[in-house]
Amino acid sequence: MKIELTRQKVHNEFTKKVELISGQNLFACYQCGNCTAGCPVAFAMEVGPHEVIRYTLLGLEEEALRVNTFWLCASCLQCTSRCPKGIDIARVMDALRMVVLRKKERKDAIQIPEFPEGFLEKLPQIAFISGFRKFLS
Amino acid sequence: MRYACLRVGRRYAFLELVMDYLYFPGCTLYTKAKNFDQTARNCSLLLGFELKELKNWTCCGATFPLATDNIMALLPPSRILATAREEGTVLTTLCAVCFNVIKRTNRLIQGDGEKRDKINNFIEKNYQGDLQILHYLEILKQDIGFPQLREKVKKPLEGLLAAPYYGCMLLRPFKEMGFDDKEKPTLFEEFLEALGAKAIEFPYKIECCGSFQSVGSPDVATECAYKILGSAIQNGAEAMVSTCPMCTFNIDHKQSDIKQKHLDFKPIPVFYFTQLLGIAMGLDYRTLGFEQNAVDPLPLLSEKGFL
Ligand code: SF4
Ligand code: SF4
Ligand code: SF4
Ligand code: SF4
């Protein structure tokens, strides 16, 4: 993918918003890839968490928000636990979710009416309560 | 002196109670994971303590909010903590997720004065974060002691090859949970060995089961569960042991989905650790709620001669 960097984009408003919500300094990331290597759902992600962190740092909002990475994150904190720079990546992934869910379009990441029949009844409360928190605006 | 009366095997036993622990069950333990709750309560009586259920508890929210500005999600666990403090000084839970949410919120209230004030203002309490939060397994290790537990075992689970599945929430974030080593925990293994079982070592024991992705992307969660189960089975496990109704949903109830995708997959039973404790303590297997387990554990238990 060809990325065009401009002075205006790097560490722009979008980046600052993610940093503010997550409380993390994205400049600390040196792209070692530890987070992605240990991530249990990386196999299904379009790009790894470390790449999303780079996109975000570079202010590439569209590229960062377009991928399924942060939606697939299970907040398991394995990346957080293993990051040699002490970045809480799970918080960054959640902040990206929040950036989308808090937009005024209020576009949810799951559609409850589209659940297959009997699906909700099968789930334990714990799953749909945490799921709704993560996927609904 | 207080006593409890409980059916053990064919008889009723009078049990002396020396301790109380305030207990937050959480909503799933009242419904889909009743077997977890009931077995924990009964086992505690056999071990000389009672789980005293909190009054008027609510759901804890099932996720610790990772967005630093999301104070709202901190309110339910904060309210639970504040009301618990009015009743005692130690609070225990069974569900690993509840434990994580409650313990992390407690730490936050202890350490962050500004948020503490905001929260207290909102819930109209004055809670300072001075409760001790213990997981049931921690009570067994610290307060009962595994050697003492071993002595109380009536029916050792000899020959049972059980894989202790920690998942994530008991352990991480390591600094806040302080439960055990972050990469190589052993508490769960020590517990199983105290019951006489053989704990299976497998590389996926602290790997995530996919958690709430069973709502967002069910196929991804199924795959995560398959890897965990596969790894345990490959290392010789005949059964998995869980501390969390969400893990249990993903690794037990989703085995039928796994089987559809991976035809060679052979289902194995998943126990709550309190169910195994119950068998070892001599409780009648009919009181252990196995009808709520997705993969029926009875064939394995009878093959091992534990029934
Ligand atoms: S582990 Fe930390 S430093 Fe390494 S790529 Fe991930 S976020 Fe960056
Ligand atoms: S918290 Fe999310 S990104 Fe990090 S390892 Fe877990 S699933 Fe992957
Ligand atoms: S975490 Fe779950 S089980 Fe715990 S109280 Fe909340 S929804 Fe219920
Ligand atoms: S393994 Fe899954 S459900 Fe269990 S604690 Fe981890 S994320 Fe939660």
Side-chain angles (χ1 to χ4, degrees):
Chain A
M1 190 176 91
K2 187 177 160 207
I3 293 177
E4 221 164 279
L5 293 181
T6 60
R7 203 177 272 278
Q8 289 78 28
K9 268 195 173 168
V10 174
H11 207 244
N12 62 4
E13 284 310 307
F14 162 66
T15 315
K16 286 185 189 136
K17 203 190 307 175
V18 175
E19 285 191 331
L20 188 72
I21 299 176
S22 65
Q24 305 303 307
N25 171 13
L26 298 183
F27 274 111
C29 169
Y30 55 20
Q31 290 291 299
C32 66
N34 243 338
C35 46
T36 304
C39 175
V41 285
F43 71 91
M45 288 174 172
E46 282 154 6
V47 304
H50 74 288
E51 289 171 272
V52 175
I53 285 185
R54 195 56 151 196
Y55 287 158
T56 309
L57 176 62
L58 296 177
L60 302 167
E61 179 168 2
E62 214 183 292
E63 286 81 351
L65 296 184
R66 191 173 52 202
V67 293
N68 66 0
T69 307
F70 55 94
W71 293 120
L72 284 183
C73 166
S75 300
C76 76
L77 306 186
Q78 190 62 279
C79 50
T80 301
S81 148
R82 288 176 180 165
C83 174
K85 298 302 299 284
I87 301 170
D88 193 336
I89 298 113
R91 284 193 189 270
V92 179
M93 296 300 123
D94 228 46
L96 289 163
R97 264 194 275 250
M98 289 306 140
V99 167
V100 177
L101 293 176
R102 289 176 186 178
K103 283 193 175 155
K104 62 175 180 301
E105 299 86 3
R106 306 201 58 153
K107 235 173 97 201
D108 293 332
I110 49 170
Q111 303 301 327
I112 299 170
E114 286 168 19
F115 283 164
E117 196 164 319
F119 179 69
L120 264 185
E121 288 77 4
K122 266 203 307 199
L123 288 172
Q125 285 82 343
I126 190 169
F128 62 73
I129 293 171
S130 51
F132 292 175
R133 286 231 163 148
K134 298 283 182 182
F135 299 123
L136 297 183
S137 64
Chain B
M1 198 55 79
R2 290 193 311 123
Y3 293 93
C5 177
L6 186 73
R7 189 178 159 150
V8 186
R10 280 157 213 262
R11 284 198 219 123
Y12 283 89
F14 280 94
L15 307 157
E16 195 183 314
L17 299 177
V18 289
M19 260 304 259
D20 267 348
Y21 290 92
L22 273 179
Y23 166 52
F24 171 71
C27 34
T28 310
L29 275 80
Y30 249 66
T31 49
K32 304 255 175 184
K34 263 194 202 130
N35 47 358
F36 194 10
D37 172 80
Q38 261 319 313
T39 45
R41 288 183 199 247
N42 289 343
C43 289
S44 66
L45 298 179
L46 290 171
L47 292 167
F49 64 95
E50 188 174 16
L51 294 179
K52 208 174 127 226
E53 185 171 332
L54 274 187
K55 292 188 198 118
N56 294 327
W57 55 269
T58 61
C59 171
C60 68
T63 46
F64 179 79
L66 297 177
T68 51
D69 57 357
N70 188 353
I71 310 263
M72 200 147 70
L74 292 168
L75 298 178
S78 301
R79 196 178 285 115
I80 292 165
L81 287 162
T83 41
R85 184 64 188 87
E86 289 161 10
E87 290 185 60
T89 54
V90 182
L91 180 64
T92 181
T93 65
L94 282 158
C95 160
V97 177
C98 301
F99 177 60
N100 184 281
V101 175
I102 300 261
K103 187 151 185 181
R104 289 194 79 180
T105 307
N106 200 45
R107 293 280 301 229
L108 184 136
I109 292 177
Q110 270 169 24
D112 187 333
E114 200 189 315
K115 287 205 174 116
R116 175 171 63 228
D117 290 344
K118 262 191 200 157
I119 292 169
N120 275 324
N121 259 332
F122 198 90
I123 62 174
E124 298 183 340
K125 300 269 182 198
N126 183 18
Y127 177 60
Q128 301 297 319
D130 50 345
L131 269 175
Q132 191 189 1
I133 314 297
L134 283 182
H135 190 264
Y136 196 92
L137 278 173
E138 291 178 313
I139 295 181
L140 296 184
K141 172 159 180 155
Q142 295 164 20
D143 295 3
I144 307 290
F146 288 148
Q148 289 77 0
L149 179 63
R150 188 186 292 266
E151 276 167 28
K152 294 197 173 186
V153 164
K154 294 216 172 63
K155 219 192 258 176
L157 305 177
E158 232 147 275
L160 181 69
L161 306 173
Y165 177 53
Y166 289 84
C168 356
M169 293 294 118
L170 279 180
L171 302 167
R172 296 191 283 271
F174 167 66
K175 270 202 207 116
E176 288 174 51
M177 301 312 290
F179 183 82
D180 204 339
D181 188 83
K182 67 174 172 180
E183 295 285 348
K184 276 205 155 294
T186 54
L187 195 152
F188 212 164
E189 283 85 341
E190 290 162 33
F191 163 76
L192 290 173
E193 310 255 320
L195 302 186
K198 168 131 184 41
I200 295 292
E201 186 62 51
F202 68 114
Y204 280 74
K205 71 180 182 184
I206 63 163
E207 196 82 357
C208 174
C209 67
S211 185
F212 52 81
Q213 289 303 344
S214 52
V215 180
S217 304
D219 292 343
V220 172
T222 307
E223 213 43 42
C224 291
Y226 174 62
K227 284 186 189 155
I228 293 162
L229 289 161
S231 152
I233 294 168
Q234 217 177 26
N235 283 280
E238 301 168 310
M240 307 283 291
V241 198
S242 152
T243 65
C244 166
M246 184 116 90
C247 303
T248 293
F249 179 74
N250 286 338
I251 63 172
D252 187 10
H253 295 250
K254 277 181 146 266
Q255 286 192 35
S256 47
D257 297 343
I258 294 177
K259 189 123 190 57
Q260 280 181 6
K261 263 174 85 186
H262 303 276
L263 298 173
D264 56 340
F265 177 77
K266 288 209 179 55
I268 60 167
V270 180
F271 294 95
Y272 284 117
F273 70 93
T274 51
Q275 289 181 308
L276 285 186
L277 180 59
I279 301 173
M281 298 293 294
L283 287 176
D284 185 337
Y285 74 90
R286 280 162 297 197
T287 65
L288 298 174
F290 289 131
E291 62 284 352
Q292 275 192 315
N293 295 46
V295 178
D296 184 7
L298 293 180
L300 175 68
L301 293 176
S302 103
E303 178 196 315
K304 296 276 163 189
F306 299 151
L307 294 186

